[in-house]
Amino acid sequence: MPGEASSMLGQAEPVTGSSVISLPRGCLAPSENLPPSSRSPGAMSRSLREAHTTASSTGLPTLKISVADQAPFVIRDSDSKGGEVYSGFVIDLIKEVGRRAGFDYELIQNEDGLIGAPRGGKWVGVIGDVESGKAQIGAGAITVTSLREDVVDFTKPFMSNSINLLVQKPEWSSIGLGYLTRPFSTDYWIMVLVCLLLVGIVFFLIGKFSPYEWGNVAADRDPRGAKNSFTFRNSYLFALSTISWQGFREAPKSLSGRIMAAFWFLFVLFTLIAYTGNLTAYLLARPEQIPDMPFRTYEELLESSDITVGSVNFGTTQDMLRKSRSETLKALWSKMNSVGSFVEDYEDGVHRVKTSNGRFVMFMESASAEYYARNECNLMLFGENLFPTSMAFALPKGSMWRSKINEAIRDIREEGVMKTISDKYWRFGGNCDNVDGRKYVKTGSGSLSSLPIYAITLKDMAVAILLFFLGMVVAFIFLAIEIVHYAVTKKGKKIEKPNILKNPPKIFRGKKAAKPAPEDVEGGAGPSSSGDALESVPLEDAEEPAASSGDELRPEGEEAAKA
């Protein structure tokens, strides 16, 4: 039977367990599962002869398969005799498909080395070979697109894929003594200090110019005889105590002061909650070292002038970026096109990423990017998944092999063979950890923690900052309204803050023996001369008409005693 004959072909060389056939000049033989270095020249020659004999005796149709190098799907190596052999995920898969669908094959290396793109009114690459009839199957990392479906048919997908960035792993630095400063970025720490400086000045100005903040502070609360609570020093004491969620001695009495306090409290609330939440993430993760990426999103990548973005020229990724509905991705394509950062193939792009010191990143299919990251330990994937796609074999329009190959792919997937083949090149295909910068990072203790953990930036806290500055504007508007209102309601009375306390407390005078009150005077009939009875007196209530402008009001207790 065809399936059995093909199975015999797959066992022609017991050392490798794969089907190898002799090819005419200009074609390349598929590789063994083992690397060429592990086989002797005699075994290789014997394998080729036996495969040729078996293929000739089976009577199975031989299909020409066009391929293009792209690790780990199609990998071309040299054997010990100077010939070329193929290996890779697609090569292993096509062997299994051919065994089940009942065909032999010979591989043809595409002259352009491309998967497929239209040039000069015709298709080149593997897709071009299939369209022109040069090959009956196109195999490799072939992404299914609507443009390609116009010229070829595709089988059922054998792998899902997407587009990600291949980046150089950032430098890992010890946190050291700055652990508690990590939740905020440097620019936001500077903004917090600026806001703290400004809010103290604002409270001082409100206390100095708002008439509704003026008044004598009670002697037992301020023996210096201050006119208002918000002196320059007290303003910063209020700001520092509130930013650390502590109590405060005096609250603003004027409307402008209370508005400023409300907006300042909102800024403090958002800031401290953000700090506490992000610090908790750092403490729970407890990585010994945390990498800092120079960007987090594609928007930040677009704004960066130090980082160049690349992709394969005339590839599907380039075309998808150009046609994307996202303004950010279209702008990235325009940026790439303006600087000419396209590369000829993945090997060239990977080399540039490795040697750029983080200044070059590359859009790449996630499957290929993960493969390179597992083999190059200074590389990793980054960024959200873009353009979900699938990979399949390409066939000529109306090919009779489409249904048979689809059935084989379905059986291979259901039996778990597909996962076994893919694990060979991805899960167990390299020795590097931390290949995906979006998922996890291994700490010094061997545990896994979420990555990335980012410091909070100005952009993240934009709402809190805008509220603070909005509060400053509103507070100054109401300060002006208070000044005008006070002047109008006092009928043009000069607004002047007194230089001395008009109702001095007892503490500033020498101690005198208090005269005993007459026994026949009822308790509480006259004012007390005790300093304990002195309370905060509003300025407008303390200013009474006097005989002359130079006279001072005498304490009621002393006048009562003289009377």
Side-chain angles (χ1 to χ4, degrees), residues 9 14 17 25 34 37 50 68 107 119 128 176 184 192 235 260 315-316 327 349 374 497:
L9 176 64
R25 184 174 182 179
L34 296 177
S37 59
E50 291 178 358
L107 300 178
R119 287 184 182 176
F184 288 156
V192 170
S235 297
M260 186 68 253
T316 56
E327 294 299 328
R374 289 194 180 275
K497 187 176 180 182

Side-chain angles (χ1 to χ4, degrees), residues 94-121:
I94 200 67
K95 292 173 186 177
E96 189 67 24
V97 170
R99 184 181 68 82
R100 295 168 183 263
F103 64 82
D104 291 329
Y105 62 90
E106 62 181 49
L107 300 178
I108 302 174
Q109 173 65 27
N110 178 258
E111 297 177 356
D112 303 311
L114 300 174
I115 295 299
R119 287 184 182 176

